[in-house]
Amino acid sequence: MATGSATVRFTSDTLLFEAPNWSPDGKSLIINGDGRLFRLPVDADSAGGGLEEIDLGDIAEINNDHVLSPDGSTAYVSSDDGHIYAVDLGGTGSAPAGAEPAAAPAGTAPRRVTNDNGPNFKHYLHGVSPDGTTLSYIGLEVSGGQVRTNVYVVPAAGGPDDQLTDDEFPDDGAEFSPDGQWIYFNSERGSTVPGHAQLFRMPAPGNTTAGGKPEQLTHDERVNWFPHPSPDGTQIAYVSFPPGTVGHPADVPVVVRLLEKDGTIRDLAYVFGGQGTMNVPSWSPDGTKIAIVAYPPASTIRQS
């Protein structure tokens, strides 16, 4: 993050990798690939050593929305069947230093977290609270030919949903701040035309000190998606699409940017990617690096 220089850790011409996030101990990346989930040691070489598939049991193919519990024991994934599942990582040493993963018994089957909100409702996971008790997700509902997306939270152990927004504005990428007081997301609520998403934050449940309305954080001509707060909460990494981009498509030139606490913006990397580049929390635990995906890698990652 200090220099913007990129190191290639893995390349593949057979797997479509998307959305890397970092294990709490800083040793592994958890990555989606072709509807499956993989673990990759951070110090793996780009020739392909060390890639290990994670057993998802009988879960349908997953999309690129996955997060890890704070203790590293569980991966939460969004399945193509529209639900969010908890997957035991088997005590693989992913917990931060001084903490042991609370591994489930061997052979534990994945557990569905989300509720049945009807056949036209899908859950897209993006965040987990710092205490591990709550998941933040985007609920997508199709009704009368219209698509609505709103921000929700649900207990990680299962329980009733709590809908935090209820409007027609497209929302995505709902993620907790490191102190659990805020939910960061991208939305088109600041625009009068499609294709102009900006970054916002709103108080998380229990935060009564800041009012309840979303606060806009970026105000520029580019289309900004997937805000990821740094571990110390002072910076926001995000993916910036070209002006006028509708949604978050793949295979477009994007900029990985950093929003500083004082409101200044710094370009970190220019990447051919977009969808899949950095959909999920991807900071290293010490806040010195982020993990991204580029298509194709290496030659398309540059600093300016």
Side-chain angles (χ1 to χ4, degrees):
M1 301 304 288
T3 67
S5 61
T7 301
V8 177
R9 287 304 191 198
F10 197 90
T11 65
S12 176
D13 57 8
T14 59
L15 281 172
L16 177 64
F17 285 126
E18 296 180 297
N21 49 27
W22 224 290
S23 64
D25 65 359
K27 296 180 179 179
S28 302
L29 301 177
I30 306 297
I31 313 169
N32 171 268
D34 289 343
R36 296 173 287 163
L37 201 64
F38 296 86
R39 181 185 293 105
L40 176 70
V42 171
D43 60 0
D45 59 51
S46 60
L51 188 69
E52 173 191 0
E53 185 169 355
I54 296 171
D55 184 8
L56 298 181
D58 60 357
I59 297 177
E61 286 192 357
I62 63 171
N63 66 17
N64 51 36
D65 301 322
H66 49 83
V67 298
L68 302 184
S69 61
D71 68 357
S73 66
T74 304
Y76 297 99
V77 300
S78 294
S79 169
D80 284 350
D81 69 6
H83 284 285
I84 296 170
Y85 293 83
V87 178
D88 169 48
L89 293 182
T92 56
S94 296
E100 292 297 326
T108 297
R111 171 178 57 85
R112 198 182 91 179
V113 175
T114 44
N115 302 294
D116 186 355
N117 291 314
N120 298 320
F121 190 99
K122 291 190 174 183
H123 309 74
Y124 292 99
L125 173 68
H126 282 280
V128 59
S129 61
D131 62 6
T133 64
T134 307
L135 303 180
S136 55
Y137 73 89
I138 297 297
L140 184 151
E141 187 170 15
V142 180
S143 178
Q146 300 296 313
V147 177
R148 286 168 57 93
T149 54
N150 280 289
V151 178
Y152 292 76
V153 294
V154 66
D161 302 284
D162 186 0
Q163 184 173 350
L164 304 186
T165 65
D166 187 6
D167 51 57
E168 73 279 10
F169 302 112
D171 301 324
D172 212 329
E175 186 173 323
F176 281 92
S177 62
D179 62 6
Q181 295 299 298
W182 300 91
I183 291 179
Y184 288 83
F185 64 108
N186 57 268
S187 176
E188 294 187 20
R189 65 189 57 241
S191 175
T192 58
V193 295
H196 200 71
Q198 297 291 309
L199 305 186
F200 290 79
R201 72 173 186 175
M202 65 184 303
N207 179 1
T208 60
T209 63
K213 294 184 178 180
E215 170 191 359
Q216 189 167 341
L217 303 177
T218 58
H219 304 76
D220 59 68
E221 76 284 354
R222 295 186 63 85
V223 178
N224 302 318
W225 279 72
F226 302 131
H228 304 307
S230 59
D232 65 3
T234 64
Q235 300 169 308
I236 307 293
Y238 63 99
V239 179
S240 185
F241 290 80
T245 304
V246 177
H248 54 295
D251 301 331
V252 294
V254 297
V255 185
V256 178
R257 285 184 155 180
L258 194 67
L259 175 63
E260 304 283 2
K261 192 172 185 178
D262 63 3
T264 60
I265 293 174
R266 177 160 60 96
D267 292 353
L268 285 175
Y270 294 75
V271 178
F272 187 73
Q275 163 74 331
T277 290
M278 196 174 67
N279 298 52
V280 298
S282 57
W283 286 83
S284 63
D286 62 6
T288 64
K289 301 180 181 70
I290 55 172
I292 62 175
V293 176
Y295 311 97
S299 62
T300 59
I301 302 175
R302 59 188 178 88
Q303 291 178 254
S304 62

